[in-house]
Amino acid sequence: MLLLLVLSALLLLFCNLDVWYFLRGALVFFQAWFQPRIRDILAEQRYDGMVLPHDLDYLGHMNNSRYLRECDFARFHHYMRNGLFMASCKLGARMVVGASTIRYRRSLDFREPFEIRTKVLGWDEKAFYLEQRFVSKKDGFVSAVMLCRQNVVRCSPERIIEFVCKAKIECPEFPEELKHWISFITASSQALRAESGLDNKSK
């Protein structure tokens, strides 16, 4: 009877909560915790992965949503290794994804090993900007590229960096493609705000 209750509780848990996501997050945390600290916050970091059965779509490739999920874990690993995650926690800040754009270049097949190369491209007064690349270990081909805006709530990127590095770090110049992308998401935000204003006036 007790076994049946336990199994029922586990079934209910797995049906209503993405348990594997939280277990994977805990694993990434402990992996990064016991790895050497990376002092350079601008250094590229690599996070290994492999396409498993639960990653597949109907065509036998890694499905599109899994790329974004893997990027989540790679960013968390990145922030753990360079100290930005722990610093943000100590400062009472939260980092949330404000925007992301991914470009797919070639599909990743079943059991294909890959690595996610993550680096901070720069920051402004409200957010960090990162690039994440999916690189096939089979031939080194860049299968997908993602740009991410990581908003900082209740703090600022500059303050977090100063807390980690114990000094002011100058933000590198943004690459041209990042400038274009920021212009796009800024224009999109302005258009949505204007649209919301019109909607409110019409009510």
mmCIF file with all atom_site columns, all heavy atoms in Angstrom, residues 136-149:
data_model
loop_
_atom_site.group_PDB
_atom_site.id
_atom_site.type_symbol
_atom_site.label_atom_id
_atom_site.label_alt_id
_atom_site.label_comp_id
_atom_site.label_asym_id
_atom_site.label_entity_id
_atom_site.label_seq_id
_atom_site.pdbx_PDB_ins_code
_atom_site.Cartn_x
_atom_site.Cartn_y
_atom_site.Cartn_z
_atom_site.occupancy
_atom_site.B_iso_or_equiv
_atom_site.pdbx_formal_charge
_atom_site.auth_seq_id
_atom_site.auth_comp_id
_atom_site.auth_asym_id
_atom_site.auth_atom_id
_atom_site.pdbx_PDB_model_num
ATOM 1   N N   . SER A 1 136 ? 29.222 21.118 -33.301 1.00 0.00 ? 136 SER A N   1
ATOM 2   C CA  . SER A 1 136 ? 29.264 19.659 -33.387 1.00 0.00 ? 136 SER A CA  1
ATOM 3   C C   . SER A 1 136 ? 30.682 19.163 -33.114 1.00 0.00 ? 136 SER A C   1
ATOM 4   O O   . SER A 1 136 ? 31.656 19.681 -33.675 1.00 0.00 ? 136 SER A O   1
ATOM 5   C CB  . SER A 1 136 ? 28.818 19.198 -34.776 1.00 0.00 ? 136 SER A CB  1
ATOM 6   O OG  . SER A 1 136 ? 29.034 17.809 -34.932 1.00 0.00 ? 136 SER A OG  1
ATOM 7   N N   . LYS A 1 137 ? 30.799 18.165 -32.252 1.00 0.00 ? 137 LYS A N   1
ATOM 8   C CA  . LYS A 1 137 ? 32.112 17.576 -31.989 1.00 0.00 ? 137 LYS A CA  1
ATOM 9   C C   . LYS A 1 137 ? 32.524 16.615 -33.102 1.00 0.00 ? 137 LYS A C   1
ATOM 10  O O   . LYS A 1 137 ? 33.668 16.168 -33.138 1.00 0.00 ? 137 LYS A O   1
ATOM 11  C CB  . LYS A 1 137 ? 32.095 16.850 -30.641 1.00 0.00 ? 137 LYS A CB  1
ATOM 12  C CG  . LYS A 1 137 ? 32.111 17.781 -29.447 1.00 0.00 ? 137 LYS A CG  1
ATOM 13  C CD  . LYS A 1 137 ? 32.352 16.995 -28.168 1.00 0.00 ? 137 LYS A CD  1
ATOM 14  C CE  . LYS A 1 137 ? 32.600 17.923 -27.007 1.00 0.00 ? 137 LYS A CE  1
ATOM 15  N NZ  . LYS A 1 137 ? 32.912 17.185 -25.765 1.00 0.00 ? 137 LYS A NZ  1
ATOM 16  N N   . LYS A 1 138 ? 31.578 16.329 -33.981 1.00 0.00 ? 138 LYS A N   1
ATOM 17  C CA  . LYS A 1 138 ? 31.861 15.422 -35.090 1.00 0.00 ? 138 LYS A CA  1
ATOM 18  C C   . LYS A 1 138 ? 32.790 16.071 -36.110 1.00 0.00 ? 138 LYS A C   1
ATOM 19  O O   . LYS A 1 138 ? 33.727 15.455 -36.594 1.00 0.00 ? 138 LYS A O   1
ATOM 20  C CB  . LYS A 1 138 ? 30.536 15.015 -35.747 1.00 0.00 ? 138 LYS A CB  1
ATOM 21  C CG  . LYS A 1 138 ? 30.636 13.979 -36.818 1.00 0.00 ? 138 LYS A CG  1
ATOM 22  C CD  . LYS A 1 138 ? 29.257 13.491 -37.231 1.00 0.00 ? 138 LYS A CD  1
ATOM 23  C CE  . LYS A 1 138 ? 28.411 14.609 -37.819 1.00 0.00 ? 138 LYS A CE  1
ATOM 24  N NZ  . LYS A 1 138 ? 27.089 14.134 -38.281 1.00 0.00 ? 138 LYS A NZ  1
ATOM 25  N N   . ASP A 1 139 ? 32.528 17.351 -36.432 1.00 0.00 ? 139 ASP A N   1
ATOM 26  C CA  . ASP A 1 139 ? 33.335 18.018 -37.456 1.00 0.00 ? 139 ASP A CA  1
ATOM 27  C C   . ASP A 1 139 ? 33.594 19.494 -37.164 1.00 0.00 ? 139 ASP A C   1
ATOM 28  O O   . ASP A 1 139 ? 34.168 20.199 -38.001 1.00 0.00 ? 139 ASP A O   1
ATOM 29  C CB  . ASP A 1 139 ? 32.671 17.886 -38.828 1.00 0.00 ? 139 ASP A CB  1
ATOM 30  C CG  . ASP A 1 139 ? 31.253 18.433 -38.859 1.00 0.00 ? 139 ASP A CG  1
ATOM 31  O OD1 . ASP A 1 139 ? 30.836 19.029 -37.849 1.00 0.00 ? 139 ASP A OD1 1
ATOM 32  O OD2 . ASP A 1 139 ? 30.565 18.264 -39.881 1.00 0.00 ? 139 ASP A OD2 1
ATOM 33  N N   . GLY A 1 140 ? 33.175 19.981 -35.984 1.00 0.00 ? 140 GLY A N   1
ATOM 34  C CA  . GLY A 1 140 ? 33.432 21.370 -35.624 1.00 0.00 ? 140 GLY A CA  1
ATOM 35  C C   . GLY A 1 140 ? 32.494 22.378 -36.266 1.00 0.00 ? 140 GLY A C   1
ATOM 36  O O   . GLY A 1 140 ? 32.707 23.587 -36.139 1.00 0.00 ? 140 GLY A O   1
ATOM 37  N N   . PHE A 1 141 ? 31.431 21.911 -36.915 1.00 0.00 ? 141 PHE A N   1
ATOM 38  C CA  . PHE A 1 141 ? 30.498 22.811 -37.584 1.00 0.00 ? 141 PHE A CA  1
ATOM 39  C C   . PHE A 1 141 ? 29.616 23.522 -36.546 1.00 0.00 ? 141 PHE A C   1
ATOM 40  O O   . PHE A 1 141 ? 29.148 22.904 -35.589 1.00 0.00 ? 141 PHE A O   1
ATOM 41  C CB  . PHE A 1 141 ? 29.621 22.028 -38.561 1.00 0.00 ? 141 PHE A CB  1
ATOM 42  C CG  . PHE A 1 141 ? 28.751 22.889 -39.442 1.00 0.00 ? 141 PHE A CG  1
ATOM 43  C CD1 . PHE A 1 141 ? 29.255 23.448 -40.600 1.00 0.00 ? 141 PHE A CD1 1
ATOM 44  C CD2 . PHE A 1 141 ? 27.423 23.146 -39.091 1.00 0.00 ? 141 PHE A CD2 1
ATOM 45  C CE1 . PHE A 1 141 ? 28.459 24.243 -41.408 1.00 0.00 ? 141 PHE A CE1 1
ATOM 46  C CE2 . PHE A 1 141 ? 26.618 23.930 -39.899 1.00 0.00 ? 141 PHE A CE2 1
ATOM 47  C CZ  . PHE A 1 141 ? 27.138 24.491 -41.055 1.00 0.00 ? 141 PHE A CZ  1
ATOM 48  N N   . VAL A 1 142 ? 29.394 24.817 -36.738 1.00 0.00 ? 142 VAL A N   1
ATOM 49  C CA  . VAL A 1 142 ? 28.505 25.584 -35.857 1.00 0.00 ? 142 VAL A CA  1
ATOM 50  C C   . VAL A 1 142 ? 27.067 25.326 -36.306 1.00 0.00 ? 142 VAL A C   1
ATOM 51  O O   . VAL A 1 142 ? 26.623 25.846 -37.325 1.00 0.00 ? 142 VAL A O   1
ATOM 52  C CB  . VAL A 1 142 ? 28.834 27.090 -35.886 1.00 0.00 ? 142 VAL A CB  1
ATOM 53  C CG1 . VAL A 1 142 ? 27.875 27.848 -34.973 1.00 0.00 ? 142 VAL A CG1 1
ATOM 54  C CG2 . VAL A 1 142 ? 30.276 27.333 -35.458 1.00 0.00 ? 142 VAL A CG2 1
ATOM 55  N N   . SER A 1 143 ? 26.349 24.508 -35.546 1.00 0.00 ? 143 SER A N   1
ATOM 56  C CA  . SER A 1 143 ? 25.004 24.078 -35.940 1.00 0.00 ? 143 SER A CA  1
ATOM 57  C C   . SER A 1 143 ? 23.932 25.120 -35.640 1.00 0.00 ? 143 SER A C   1
ATOM 58  O O   . SER A 1 143 ? 22.894 25.160 -36.297 1.00 0.00 ? 143 SER A O   1
ATOM 59  C CB  . SER A 1 143 ? 24.643 22.763 -35.239 1.00 0.00 ? 143 SER A CB  1
ATOM 60  O OG  . SER A 1 143 ? 25.535 21.739 -35.632 1.00 0.00 ? 143 SER A OG  1
ATOM 61  N N   . ALA A 1 144 ? 24.150 25.935 -34.615 1.00 0.00 ? 144 ALA A N   1
ATOM 62  C CA  . ALA A 1 144 ? 23.176 26.965 -34.253 1.00 0.00 ? 144 ALA A CA  1
ATOM 63  C C   . ALA A 1 144 ? 23.879 28.057 -33.462 1.00 0.00 ? 144 ALA A C   1
ATOM 64  O O   . ALA A 1 144 ? 24.890 27.802 -32.800 1.00 0.00 ? 144 ALA A O   1
ATOM 65  C CB  . ALA A 1 144 ? 22.031 26.371 -33.438 1.00 0.00 ? 144 ALA A CB  1
ATOM 66  N N   . VAL A 1 145 ? 23.340 29.256 -33.562 1.00 0.00 ? 145 VAL A N   1
ATOM 67  C CA  . VAL A 1 145 ? 23.895 30.404 -32.831 1.00 0.00 ? 145 VAL A CA  1
ATOM 68  C C   . VAL A 1 145 ? 22.743 31.138 -32.160 1.00 0.00 ? 145 VAL A C   1
ATOM 69  O O   . VAL A 1 145 ? 21.722 31.413 -32.800 1.00 0.00 ? 145 VAL A O   1
ATOM 70  C CB  . VAL A 1 145 ? 24.630 31.389 -33.767 1.00 0.00 ? 145 VAL A CB  1
ATOM 71  C CG1 . VAL A 1 145 ? 25.245 32.530 -32.964 1.00 0.00 ? 145 VAL A CG1 1
ATOM 72  C CG2 . VAL A 1 145 ? 25.686 30.682 -34.581 1.00 0.00 ? 145 VAL A CG2 1
ATOM 73  N N   . MET A 1 146 ? 22.909 31.457 -30.877 1.00 0.00 ? 146 MET A N   1
ATOM 74  C CA  . MET A 1 146 ? 21.883 32.194 -30.166 1.00 0.00 ? 146 MET A CA  1
ATOM 75  C C   . MET A 1 146 ? 22.448 33.451 -29.534 1.00 0.00 ? 146 MET A C   1
ATOM 76  O O   . MET A 1 146 ? 23.553 33.430 -28.994 1.00 0.00 ? 146 MET A O   1
ATOM 77  C CB  . MET A 1 146 ? 21.231 31.343 -29.073 1.00 0.00 ? 146 MET A CB  1
ATOM 78  C CG  . MET A 1 146 ? 19.984 32.021 -28.502 1.00 0.00 ? 146 MET A CG  1
ATOM 79  S SD  . MET A 1 146 ? 19.147 31.096 -27.196 1.00 0.00 ? 146 MET A SD  1
ATOM 80  C CE  . MET A 1 146 ? 20.036 31.665 -25.773 1.00 0.00 ? 146 MET A CE  1
ATOM 81  N N   . LEU A 1 147 ? 21.692 34.545 -29.630 1.00 0.00 ? 147 LEU A N   1
ATOM 82  C CA  . LEU A 1 147 ? 21.986 35.768 -28.900 1.00 0.00 ? 147 LEU A CA  1
ATOM 83  C C   . LEU A 1 147 ? 20.972 35.883 -27.767 1.00 0.00 ? 147 LEU A C   1
ATOM 84  O O   . LEU A 1 147 ? 19.786 35.601 -27.964 1.00 0.00 ? 147 LEU A O   1
ATOM 85  C CB  . LEU A 1 147 ? 21.891 36.994 -29.810 1.00 0.00 ? 147 LEU A CB  1
ATOM 86  C CG  . LEU A 1 147 ? 22.989 37.145 -30.869 1.00 0.00 ? 147 LEU A CG  1
ATOM 87  C CD1 . LEU A 1 147 ? 22.687 38.337 -31.767 1.00 0.00 ? 147 LEU A CD1 1
ATOM 88  C CD2 . LEU A 1 147 ? 24.359 37.299 -30.226 1.00 0.00 ? 147 LEU A CD2 1
ATOM 89  N N   . CYS A 1 148 ? 21.431 36.293 -26.616 1.00 0.00 ? 148 CYS A N   1
ATOM 90  C CA  . CYS A 1 148 ? 20.555 36.347 -25.445 1.00 0.00 ? 148 CYS A CA  1
ATOM 91  C C   . CYS A 1 148 ? 20.768 37.647 -24.680 1.00 0.00 ? 148 CYS A C   1
ATOM 92  O O   . CYS A 1 148 ? 21.908 38.063 -24.459 1.00 0.00 ? 148 CYS A O   1
ATOM 93  C CB  . CYS A 1 148 ? 20.833 35.157 -24.528 1.00 0.00 ? 148 CYS A CB  1
ATOM 94  S SG  . CYS A 1 148 ? 19.921 35.184 -22.964 1.00 0.00 ? 148 CYS A SG  1
ATOM 95  N N   . ARG A 1 149 ? 19.663 38.270 -24.310 1.00 0.00 ? 149 ARG A N   1
ATOM 96  C CA  . ARG A 1 149 ? 19.710 39.423 -23.408 1.00 0.00 ? 149 ARG A CA  1
ATOM 97  C C   . ARG A 1 149 ? 19.266 38.937 -22.034 1.00 0.00 ? 149 ARG A C   1
ATOM 98  O O   . ARG A 1 149 ? 18.139 38.491 -21.856 1.00 0.00 ? 149 ARG A O   1
ATOM 99  C CB  . ARG A 1 149 ? 18.785 40.532 -23.891 1.00 0.00 ? 149 ARG A CB  1
ATOM 100 C CG  . ARG A 1 149 ? 18.657 41.667 -22.882 1.00 0.00 ? 149 ARG A CG  1
ATOM 101 C CD  . ARG A 1 149 ? 17.783 42.795 -23.381 1.00 0.00 ? 149 ARG A CD  1
ATOM 102 N NE  . ARG A 1 149 ? 17.508 43.737 -22.299 1.00 0.00 ? 149 ARG A NE  1
ATOM 103 C CZ  . ARG A 1 149 ? 17.393 45.046 -22.451 1.00 0.00 ? 149 ARG A CZ  1
ATOM 104 N NH1 . ARG A 1 149 ? 17.518 45.575 -23.646 1.00 0.00 ? 149 ARG A NH1 1
ATOM 105 N NH2 . ARG A 1 149 ? 17.129 45.808 -21.420 1.00 0.00 ? 149 ARG A NH2 1
#
